[in-house]
């Protein structure tokens, strides 16, 4: 398990899918990982990371950016409206925009701050009550609403149910993206990123396959 092994697996999946390797971005998900492991991946030259909590990211990335220069960090976890401003200052992309209220807050802040991270809209493809995201049937309207707010909507994101075949969810997300003319697809984690790539993922979010198992939190 390592960065180089993950990169090789991504390349192999791209070849299998007939895609150029540079069409897939690897987001190294560094949440709750010990800092020395994160530093090792930075030392290998990787510069794109994912975090799922604003607070945790705020404690980690300003320091690393001071030492390593510019690093892209994407928010992949749920965002409360009252943390939106901080998130927009910290992250280059937000993958978890999952409700109109949050979209409106981000749009208002973007006017104020004068910039906005790339936006991915989260779709609850498994229609799980406990999971964030708009339902598949609401997705087209949500895309339109976010575009009307002038948000830079880059693509869609999903987290498939743990006990279902992820490919079905990746295919559904790809279909919704296609009919909305969206090119970004944030899908695929350690256990399933190869099948996500075959189904069109542009951003895979891989944690434990790079860093090792996370400590329980
Ligand atoms: C933690 C997390 C990941 C990475 O999970 P791994 O199984 O460790 O690769 C990907 N996406 C989201 C939204 C996460 O919270």
């Amino acid at each position: 398990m390592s960065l180089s092994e993950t990169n090789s697996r991504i390349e192999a999946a791209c070849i299998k899918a007939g895609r150029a390797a540079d069409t897939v971005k690897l987001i190294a998900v560094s949440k709750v990982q010990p800092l020395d492991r994160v530093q090792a991946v930075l030392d290998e030259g990787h510069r794109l990371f994912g975090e799922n909590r604003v607070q945790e990211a705020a404690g980690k990335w300003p320091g690393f950016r001071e030492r390593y220069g510019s690093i892209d960090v994407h928010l992949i976890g749920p965002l409360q409206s009252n943390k939106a401003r901080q998130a927009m200052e910290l992250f280059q992309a937000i993958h978890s925009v999952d409700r109109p209220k949050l979209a409106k807050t981000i749009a208002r802040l973007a006017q104020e701050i004068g910039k906005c991270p790339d936006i991915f809209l989260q779709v609850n493809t498994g229609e799980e009550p406990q999971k964030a995201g708009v339902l598949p049937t609401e997705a087209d309207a949500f895309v339109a609403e976010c575009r009307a707010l002038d948000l830079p909507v880059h693509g869609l994101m999903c987290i498939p149910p743990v006990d279902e075949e992820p490919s079905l969810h990746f295919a559904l997300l790809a279909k919704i993206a296609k009919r909305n003319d969206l090119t970004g697809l944030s899908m695929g984690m350690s256990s399933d990123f190869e099948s996500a790539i075959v189904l069109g993922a542009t951003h895979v979010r891989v944690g434990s396959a790079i860093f090792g198992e996370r400590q329980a939190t």
Side-chain angles (χ1 to χ4, degrees):
M1 295 212 257
S2 69
L3 178 68
S4 60
E5 190 184 310
T6 303
N7 274 321
S8 315
R9 285 170 59 190
I10 289 174
E11 265 175 54
C14 283
I15 289 167
K16 186 175 160 200
R19 301 179 55 186
D22 63 2
T23 60
V24 179
K25 290 201 165 76
L26 172 59
I27 300 174
V29 179
S30 45
K31 65 180 183 204
V32 307
Q33 294 288 353
L35 293 184
D36 58 333
R37 290 192 194 166
V38 181
Q39 195 176 317
V41 168
L42 280 162
D43 286 336
E44 287 182 78
H46 196 74
R47 291 293 181 270
L48 173 57
F49 292 83
E51 290 284 345
N52 73 339
R53 285 166 188 267
V54 178
Q55 232 44 53
E56 187 186 336
K60 195 183 303 181
W61 292 101
F64 277 139
R65 282 175 173 145
E66 246 168 57
R67 282 160 56 201
Y68 289 87
S70 112
I71 301 166
D72 281 354
V73 186
H74 291 190
L75 179 66
I76 60 171
L79 178 59
Q80 295 167 275
S81 293
N82 64 7
K83 297 232 173 81
R85 179 188 294 272
Q86 195 184 4
M88 291 170 72
E89 305 282 5
L90 257 177
F91 299 105
Q92 281 65 47
I94 299 176
H95 291 236
S96 48
V97 177
D98 60 355
R99 58 196 190 277
K101 179 174 178 258
L102 178 62
K104 283 179 196 139
T105 303
I106 293 174
R108 177 173 52 76
L109 291 167
Q111 291 293 323
E112 235 178 273
I113 305 170
K115 62 170 191 178
C116 190
D118 284 340
I119 298 295
F120 289 77
L121 308 181
Q122 186 170 350
V123 182
N124 185 357
T125 55
E127 307 189 25
E128 297 171 277
Q130 82 286 8
K131 204 166 265 179
V134 294
L135 296 174
T137 50
E138 301 166 344
D140 295 359
F142 191 44
V143 172
E145 184 173 2
C146 291
R147 282 179 168 151
L149 290 167
D150 263 341
L151 288 180
V153 182
H154 194 74
L156 303 178
M157 179 269 226
C158 76
I159 308 170
V162 283
D163 52 356
E164 286 181 27
E165 171 54 46
S167 297
L168 302 173
H169 296 271
F170 299 152
L172 173 60
L173 197 72
K175 190 173 117 188
I176 298 171
K178 185 154 191 263
R179 70 173 182 241
N180 284 284
D181 281 323
L182 287 168
T183 49
L185 280 172
S186 168
M187 56 190 200
M189 318 198 336
S190 290
S191 56
D192 53 24
F193 66 86
E194 281 130 325
S195 62
I197 288 170
V198 170
L199 289 160
T202 58
H203 294 70
V204 291
R205 310 177 308 262
V206 181
S208 40
I210 295 174
F211 296 102
E213 289 304 319
R214 284 180 289 278
Q215 315 288 53
T217 49

